[in-house]
Amino acid sequence: MQIFKIRGIPFKLHPYWFAILFLFSWSISNQVNLTSGEIYNIKEAWLIGFLTSFFLLSTIIFHEVLHTFVSLNQGVKIKNITFYFLGAVLQIEKECQTALGNIKISIVRPLLCFSTALILIFISNPTESNEQIFTNILNRVAILNLFLGFLNLIPIGSLDGGNLLKSTIWYFSGSKNKGRNFLNKLTLILSILVFLFGIICLFSFNFYYGLLLTFLGLFGINSSKSENQFFKIENILKLSKVSELKFKPLRKIEFNSNFVQLNNVVKSKKDKQDKYLFLTNSGRWDGFIEEKILKSVSVKKWDRTLVGDFKKSIKKFESVNFSTELWRAIEKIEKSNEGIVLVLNSADIPLGIIDRNKIGYFVFNKLGLNLPSNLISKFNNKDQYPLGVQLPKIIKLMRKKGEIE
């Protein structure tokens, strides 16, 4: 549900927000009943619970608006922002490309949380008895803002504290990858500790904060594992060359062959996905043809019709150089109609064909995932990346992060 727009960026509420608002209101009202039941009745407890939750959301929205302005000022392109009560998820098209810019972006939300908490504590006045509910609400919102401020500063994964640490290392070392690697290792260690501490709080101290810490720990552990896997795939795509792949051999036929001979070659093919044949002339490559030309000529004329009359220039076939980076080859494949590209050497001589399967299994092997042959055979004849791995999406993320141009 869209609540407003700023500079064309829609700010939305996720449907889960309403359920979490109710749960927070219920949790806080129960806490009020347990600790201050002699002061507040049930209606007042629910009022405190609801208004605390609602004002907490209001401060989070206010913080996110200011955070958005800073992000836009640092070159970030934001598509939309969706609130999930305790925070927001930003759909970003392009991230900030400088270390200092990322430091500025990362520090905004924690500083706003602390500033809001101090202001609320300052304006609350517990001396007047008729303002006890008002004071109670302000103090609770202030404490929750303090909690969120310190929470955001924890150097874990995609939290502001993690981005701040990563960007600071990047700024002083000049290497973006050093910051990412260090943060990922630290994220895993801290996430395990936070998870264990959350379990202890859950059963010993405070159920509400224990639950938050437990989920935060699990989120950090999963985030660390995902980031580690992403980093490995990213390096494979950036550092590997097309020449390292095992090419699919080219099907060839002499340019002066007739359609009867072409039909025999087509019948003997093993891979149903193969639709092209490359012409040779005295051992030299002389263009290519498509199988479908068989349907354009009457069978009675097959023995008098030569395949060379239908040849197309090899330059019209989507191709890459064998020294091309793997990520560029994937982009070429995604632009092609058939999901295949021709590999050429430095002299523009065809070496073979690569497709999504060839690239996918190469990446899996580089990751140390040696898939069983029976599983490979199920995907070999399908025009897709094995096991649904989305390499094009990973490349888009790399471009968004500024890892490739």
Side-chain angles (χ1 to χ4, degrees), residues 33-51:
N33 283 327
L34 289 173
T35 58
S36 308
E38 70 283 356
I39 301 175
Y40 306 108
N41 58 39
I42 295 177
K43 289 184 179 180
E44 290 173 335
W46 267 99
L47 181 65
I48 291 172
F50 174 78
L51 291 179

Side-chain angles (χ1 to χ4, degrees), residues 49-63:
F50 174 78
L51 291 179
T52 299
S53 303
F54 181 78
F55 288 136
L56 176 63
L57 171 66
S58 300
T59 60
I60 290 173
I61 292 176
F62 174 69
H63 298 164

Side-chain angles (χ1 to χ4, degrees), residues 81-139:
I81 299 173
T82 305
F83 291 98
Y84 289 81
F85 193 76
L86 284 181
V89 175
L90 283 67
Q91 190 174 349
I92 297 174
E93 293 182 345
K94 181 183 178 183
E95 295 186 358
C96 177
Q97 304 301 312
T98 65
L100 185 59
N102 277 289
I103 291 173
K104 292 177 181 178
I105 293 170
S106 302
I107 203 67
V108 172
R109 271 186 294 232
L111 287 179
L112 288 172
C113 285
F114 294 139
S115 301
T116 302
L118 291 175
I119 292 171
L120 292 176
I121 291 172
F122 178 77
I123 64 175
S124 63
N125 185 3
T127 57
E128 297 292 335
S129 59
N130 59 351
E131 294 180 356
Q132 281 185 348
I133 293 179
F134 173 75
T135 301
N136 194 304
I137 293 170
L138 290 183
N139 285 333

Side-chain angles (χ1 to χ4, degrees), residues 9-71:
I9 302 170
F11 285 68
K12 303 177 181 180
L13 284 180
H14 194 277
Y16 289 152
W17 175 84
F18 296 98
I20 297 174
L21 175 63
F22 172 77
L23 290 174
F24 263 61
S25 301
W26 172 77
S27 177
I28 295 172
S29 64
N30 278 346
Q31 190 181 51
V32 172
N33 283 327
L34 289 173
T35 58
S36 308
E38 70 283 356
I39 301 175
Y40 306 108
N41 58 39
I42 295 177
K43 289 184 179 180
E44 290 173 335
W46 267 99
L47 181 65
I48 291 172
F50 174 78
L51 291 179
T52 299
S53 303
F54 181 78
F55 288 136
L56 176 63
L57 171 66
S58 300
T59 60
I60 290 173
I61 292 176
F62 174 69
H63 298 164
E64 198 57 52
V65 169
L66 295 181
H67 176 263
T68 299
F69 282 119
V70 175
S71 299

Side-chain angles (χ1 to χ4, degrees), residues 341-369:
V341 292
L342 180 66
V343 180
L344 306 174
N345 65 10
S346 55
D348 288 339
I349 297 175
L351 300 176
I353 284 176
I354 57 173
D355 56 16
R356 294 184 178 98
N357 267 284
K358 292 291 183 184
I359 292 177
Y361 288 115
F362 172 80
V363 172
F364 280 148
N365 288 332
K366 281 282 189 177
L367 289 171
L369 301 173

